[in-house]
């Protein structure tokens, strides 16, 4: 019963490198989200998707790109990593309906040196 | 102004105490509201949804005041296991798809 799976769980990058975080869900949810969480702070929405082939900007989209080519996958890309992007990244998918629950992955800890 | 605001705490209360958190949101078109709990270095998990009529789940009671645009969470007879960060969450858009988190309120229960 996997739910939401994020890969990789840990990554260290040098400034200027690129990488992609993968989020996969097996619950057939339409809505998926990427958040970042910095120490002592709540989650800030980066991008979200309301279905295959669609994406939208959240609160802090700059420096990130996303793609939702398949319903079950939501990719978060950093084209040129910066130290300010050092954070824990959480992916979530949402159950149907206005009150649908968010199901989170375990998080991906990214450090940019 | 942040879209969802919470008192960051920390709240440090003795076991058995009653503690209350408040949260305010800025978009009057927001459609649904939640409290999530996050343990240290873990992913958030749903604690309860919040309805206008108020709802209760054991020792937890959540209230929504649409006129004043605030949400509250009351924890009665607090347990050591209630120590966590409590996140106020608002489904922010009229399309009910943009979900915004508050910065969280940290609660520590002492024996």
């Amino acid at each position: 019963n996997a739910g939401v799976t994020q890969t990789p769980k840990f990554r260290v990058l040098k400034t200027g490198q690129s990488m992609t975080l993968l989020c996969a869900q097996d619950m057939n949810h339409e809505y998926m989200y990427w958040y970042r969480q910095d120490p002592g702070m709540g989650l800030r929405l980066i991008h979200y998707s309301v279905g295959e082939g669609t994406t939208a900007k959240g609160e802090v989209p700059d420096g990130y790109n996303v793609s939702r080519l398949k319903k079950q996958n939501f990719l978060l890309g950093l084209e040129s990593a910066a130290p300010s992007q050092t954070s824990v990244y959480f992916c979530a998918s949402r159950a149907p309906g206005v009150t649908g629950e968010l199901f989170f992955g375990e998080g991906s800890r990214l450090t940019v040196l | 102004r942040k879209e969802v605001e919470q008192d960051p705490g920390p709240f440090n209360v003795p076991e058995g105490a009653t503690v209350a958190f408040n949260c305010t949101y800025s978009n009057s078109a927001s459609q649904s509201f939640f409290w999530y709990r996050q343990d240290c270095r873990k992913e958030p998990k749903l604690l309860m949804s919040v309805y206008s009529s108020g709802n209760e789940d054991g020792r937890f009671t959540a209230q929504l005041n649409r006129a004043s645009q605030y949400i509250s969470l009351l924890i009665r007879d607090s347990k050591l296991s209630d120590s966590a960060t409590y996140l106020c969450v608002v489904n922010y858009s009229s399309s009910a798809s943009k979900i915004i988190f508050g910065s969280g309120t940290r609660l520590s229960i002492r024996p």
Side-chain angles (χ1 to χ4, degrees):
Chain A
N1 210 11
V4 179
T5 304
Q6 292 181 228
T7 53
K9 288 187 169 44
F10 300 94
R11 184 74 187 270
V12 178
L13 287 178
K14 293 181 180 178
T15 297
Q17 286 185 318
S18 63
M19 75 158 296
T20 300
L21 295 173
L22 170 63
C23 178
Q25 53 101 358
D26 62 3
M27 295 172 282
N28 202 37
H29 289 163
E30 293 289 344
Y31 292 3
M32 295 186 73
Y33 302 81
W34 274 109
Y35 292 89
R36 62 176 286 174
Q37 186 172 34
D38 300 303
M41 297 181 69
L43 280 69
R44 290 185 292 169
L45 181 62
I46 305 172
H47 287 280
Y48 62 103
S49 169
V50 301
E52 183 178 312
T54 72
T55 63
K57 293 180 180 180
E59 300 171 278
V60 288
D62 294 342
Y64 304 96
N65 56 75
V66 287
S67 64
R68 184 96 180 271
L69 298 179
K70 294 183 178 181
K71 187 177 184 178
Q72 64 267 34
N73 295 336
F74 194 27
L75 278 64
L76 178 71
L78 286 72
E79 288 187 349
S80 179
S84 61
Q85 293 177 304
T86 294
S87 190
V88 179
Y89 292 85
F90 286 102
C91 175
S93 70
R94 185 159 77 88
V98 172
T99 59
E101 178 180 352
L102 285 171
F103 294 88
F104 284 88
E106 294 182 334
S108 298
R109 186 173 296 274
L110 175 65
T111 301
V112 183
L113 302 176
Chain B
R1 180 187 174 189
K2 288 193 65 175
E3 295 169 350
V4 180
E5 295 203 61
Q6 291 183 249
D7 182 344
F11 286 67
N12 189 322
V13 302
E15 201 172 2
T18 295
V19 61
F21 308 137
N22 288 327
C23 166
T24 58
Y25 61 95
S26 60
N27 186 349
S28 59
S30 299
Q31 295 200 14
S32 51
F33 310 87
F34 312 86
W35 285 100
Y36 277 70
R37 171 192 168 126
Q38 186 176 27
D39 294 301
C40 189
R41 303 175 78 86
K42 297 284 192 179
E43 72 274 20
K45 293 187 178 177
L46 179 66
L47 178 66
M48 58 198 308
S49 300
V50 187
Y51 304 112
S52 296
S53 56
N55 48 306
E56 188 173 311
D57 183 2
R59 297 180 293 106
F60 298 84
T61 300
Q63 294 277 357
L64 166 65
N65 185 319
R66 282 192 181 271
S68 301
Q69 295 182 205
Y70 81 79
I71 308 149
S72 64
L73 177 68
L74 182 76
I75 305 175
R76 292 181 299 277
D77 187 24
S78 53
K79 312 292 185 190
L80 294 176
S81 58
D82 294 335
S83 296
T85 296
Y86 290 84
L87 299 160
C88 175
V89 182
V90 176
N91 201 330
Y92 191 74
S93 68
S94 57
S95 63
S97 56
K98 187 177 178 183
I99 300 182
I100 302 296
F101 282 69
S103 55
T105 299
R106 188 170 174 186
L107 173 65
S108 292
I109 307 297
R110 61 179 188 271

